Amino acid sequence: MNELEPVAMTVQLLGGLALFLYGMEKMTDGLKAAAGNQMNMLLARLTGNRILGAITGAIVTAVIQSSSVTTVLVVGFVSAGLLTLVQSVGVIFGANVGTTVTAQIVAFNTTALAFPFISIGFVMSFVWKQGVARHYGAMLMGLGLLFYGMATMGAAMAPLRTNQSFAELLQSLQNPVLGMLAGALFTALVQSSSATIGLAVVMATQGLLSLPAGIAILFGAKIGTGITAILAGIGKPQDAKRAAVVHVLFNVLGAVIWLPFIPQLAMIAQAVSPLAAHLEGMARLAEEVPRQIANAATIWAIANTVIFLPFAALFAKLATRIVPDRVLVQKEIIRPKYLDDALIAVPSMALERARMELGHMSQLTNSMLAKVKSAFAARDLGELAQQFDQIVVLREAVLNYLQHIGRSALSDVEAEEHARLLAATGEIESMSAAISRELVPLAQALEAAQIAPSKETTELLERLLQIVLETAQAALRALVERDEQAAQSVVAKRAAILDLSEELQRQQAARLAQDDPNRLTKYRIQIEMLDKLRRLYGVSEHMAISVLPRSVLVGELYS
């Protein structure tokens, strides 16, 4: 064993680890892109209670192979009021079960599959430039690279089988505390528990690692992910930090509780794993232990979920106490609620977040619309101007977010949605601008002229204003929710708007003949008011038209 070449072995080991991590990232990106939107919808629909939430979290994470993405989605649902923090706890618990699928995959003897997967994946990615096949090709290629990375690491560690010094080092890992510490430190360094577990499985395939030591490293790997979760929560909203706290508590408490019962967990894992009775010694360990480690990881995660799930409310309460609500004096007049840079790598999910932020802009614009009548009567529209400034800030944030999404390789459907969201962002900003820049100066002009419209004019203007405000609200709903019925109701109001406009114009023309020294000023301002309201309706109609299919639109316009 004096012929060991430490430098060459280290380089080969690190190269294999790099291939493993890159393959994992590429596989995850492919899966997220192929199944991201469906998984997003599944999470949104099936997280009504903690048990369903845990099952859904496990399924979604098993498919997209990213507990961090699952957690980001859950935080978004909590922020949107679609989930309570208690319900999100169940999903986070389930996500920890889903991540053990990686361990199950790498426990197979997959060296022979590495090059076929890389080849098939490359061909699929090269031939299909669009569509889901390209994403599945990236997934297969990543899986092949992952397998090849494992084989490379295994080859690098093979000479250590007979090295006495390394055998003594591994013997020290039989101490579960040292094993946990080693797993936690390595995970903190490479920022991937899957890599740590994969390395443990590789060591087991070489007969270098016993099952109890592998379980201790597994516990440490899961604790090490807490550092990643905490780092990811820095600068994020309070709900995101609380989700990270729940994730850390789950893994740390789970490891501490099971630490004295590692032998029992090992016995359970051995009982449900296939045996290689035809082999002996190190060869038998190399055949049996990898699958046993993977099964121990799954059993441990499921057991922890079952144990902790009844205490989901306690976890939520503890996370809230650790990360309390706080009132910040912020320089920003507003900040986005739903945009999350962590999802930009998954265009389908990021586009959904952009749509949710458009909903936020729509809520602010609706708030402006609700205040128009009272503010107009009081001649004080200053608050509307402030809300417009907030919408401008959100518009810039959404456009910047969509710009980053647009740099990704989008499918045809995603590209169409991306273009729609870009247009919708401008439409909402145009409506808020019509309220702020058109109506606010008009109210100021009315105040300066000290003009009070007649009773008949006031009634007509109020009727017109009411219809315009209703169509504006319907247009916002149509744009954000793709509600064609709401869009049709906006277009259908055109005739009523025209009738009221003509009636108001006839009335004002008749008043010009009256003997009133202010008749010209009144006429100009009231006709200008009519023009502003019609312009606001024009913005609403344009928004509605962008939603309606061409066939429906032709029927509405010419019916």
Side-chain angles (χ1 to χ4, degrees), residues 104 151 197 274 322 350 384 438 449 512 540 552:
Q104 294 291 346
I197 296 170
I322 294 172
L384 298 185
E438 305 283 352
L512 274 177
S540 302
V552 175

Side-chain angles (χ1 to χ4, degrees), residues 474 477-478 482-492 547-548 556:
R477 185 168 65 254
R482 303 293 290 172
D483 188 335
E484 292 185 13
Q485 188 173 353
Q488 290 175 18
S489 73
V490 174
V491 177
V547 173
L548 291 172
E556 287 289 342

Side-chain angles (χ1 to χ4, degrees), residues 46-223:
L46 299 181
T47 49
N49 62 64
R50 64 188 72 176
I51 297 175
L52 267 181
I55 295 172
T56 308
I59 294 171
V60 169
T61 307
V63 172
I64 63 178
Q65 281 300 291
S66 177
S67 61
S68 60
V69 169
T70 304
T71 303
V72 167
L73 290 173
V74 168
V75 169
F77 295 145
V78 174
S79 300
L82 303 175
L83 281 181
T84 66
L85 183 61
V86 175
Q87 290 170 333
S88 75
V89 169
V91 181
I92 294 169
F93 287 176
N96 281 278
V97 177
T99 56
T100 64
V101 171
T102 304
Q104 294 291 346
I105 293 173
V106 300
F108 287 104
N109 186 3
T110 52
T111 304
L113 295 175
F115 287 118
F117 277 14
I118 292 172
S119 302
I120 295 170
F122 174 78
V123 170
M124 290 176 67
S125 300
F126 185 78
V127 172
W128 286 281
K129 298 297 183 182
Q130 296 291 332
V132 72
R134 176 173 60 92
H135 300 312
Y136 284 122
M139 181 270 291
L140 277 177
M141 190 173 177
L143 195 58
L145 288 170
L146 184 153
F147 292 159
Y148 185 65
M150 287 190 62
T152 303
M153 288 191 288
M157 301 187 76
L160 295 173
R161 288 185 176 189
T162 56
N163 184 270
Q164 186 61 34
S165 299
F166 191 75
E168 292 173 359
L169 175 63
L170 290 179
Q171 190 63 33
S172 67
L173 294 181
Q174 299 298 325
N175 182 325
V177 175
L178 290 178
M180 283 177 56
L181 183 61
L185 287 175
F186 189 78
T187 300
L189 284 173
V190 300
Q191 296 286 290
S192 171
S193 62
S194 295
T196 304
I197 296 170
L199 185 59
V201 169
V202 168
M203 292 171 67
T205 60
Q206 299 299 320
L208 299 173
L209 198 66
S210 67
L211 178 56
I215 292 174
I217 291 173
L218 162 70
F219 288 177
K222 290 300 183 179
I223 291 174

Side-chain angles (χ1 to χ4, degrees), residues 286-308:
E287 183 70 22
E288 293 181 347
V289 175
R291 177 60 54 197
Q292 291 169 357
I293 292 175
N295 288 342
T298 302
I299 293 167
W300 177 68
I302 293 174
N304 284 341
T305 300
V306 172
I307 293 169
F308 293 147

